[in-house]
Amino acid sequence: MTGVLPAAAATWETVDDGVMGGRSSSHMHGSDGGLRFEGTVSLANGGGFASVRAPLGVRLGDARGLALEVRGDGRRYQLRLRADGESRSIAWRCIFATSADWQTVTLAFSDFEPVFRGRRVADAPCLDPRQMQLIGFMTADKAPGPFRLEIRCCRPV
């Protein structure tokens, strides 16, 4: 694994909709030199999202964005960044689509939007890459069933 993602799957914390009574489940696994975010989204008890997060592997400095090498299941995923580890803090998210083939997706920091518990925060500051400490992935499309996202690389650009 290269770039900003911690390679050890044990470093990743799962934060699924169970925190709100939902039944979705997910995990991050090591996979052929990369990582695999997978699980099942359930709509039971008002659920519908699954996520993982970990400390950034490197500082982002003056980068303008992130380039991901990913392969997925056709779902849309979110890459999320946080300036701290608090669940009560703002996250900056950028949504990207996946396909069954490996692809490089470039996410400009100017395209990230500030959110708090899924809702846009209108008066939040712009994302400052030098302040970011956590990185995460989320599926929140309210589509029930299994999901799978493989990440081979995530590097600053």
Side-chain angles (χ1 to χ4, degrees):
M1 173 62 55
T2 59
V4 301
L5 302 179
T11 305
W12 291 83
E13 173 188 11
T14 299
V15 185
D16 295 332
D17 57 18
V19 298
M20 299 166 36
R23 301 265 170 99
S24 299
S25 63
S26 69
H27 291 90
M28 186 67 91
H29 303 279
S31 173
D32 298 325
L35 293 167
R36 186 177 67 244
F37 171 45
E38 65 184 348
T40 303
V41 172
S42 170
L43 301 183
N45 296 339
F49 75 88
S51 71
V52 291
R53 63 184 175 200
L56 279 167
V58 299
R59 301 306 255 164
L60 298 176
D62 292 326
R64 295 187 319 259
L66 294 169
L68 301 164
E69 289 180 38
V70 295
R71 177 169 64 182
D73 51 15
R75 285 184 188 248
R76 292 166 47 101
Y77 290 87
Q78 298 178 24
L79 186 141
R80 290 175 158 241
L81 296 169
R82 287 182 185 267
D84 60 42
E86 296 295 318
S87 61
R88 294 184 188 106
S89 67
I90 293 171
W92 282 266
R93 74 174 174 202
C94 192
I95 299 170
F96 61 96
T98 63
S99 72
D101 296 319
W102 284 105
Q103 60 185 349
T104 299
V105 177
T106 302
L107 308 175
F109 290 144
S110 60
D111 292 335
F112 280 67
E113 65 178 346
V115 293
F116 179 73
R117 296 189 179 157
R119 292 196 168 93
R120 186 155 170 53
V121 179
D123 58 349
C126 294
L127 185 153
D128 179 353
R130 294 168 298 192
Q131 299 296 317
M132 297 300 111
Q133 297 179 23
L134 289 177
I135 189 165
F137 293 94
M138 175 181 270
T139 179
D141 57 7
K142 299 265 186 191
F147 66 88
R148 179 183 175 120
L149 173 67
E150 294 176 83
I151 308 111
R152 190 161 53 191
C153 180
C154 179
R155 60 182 169 75
V157 291

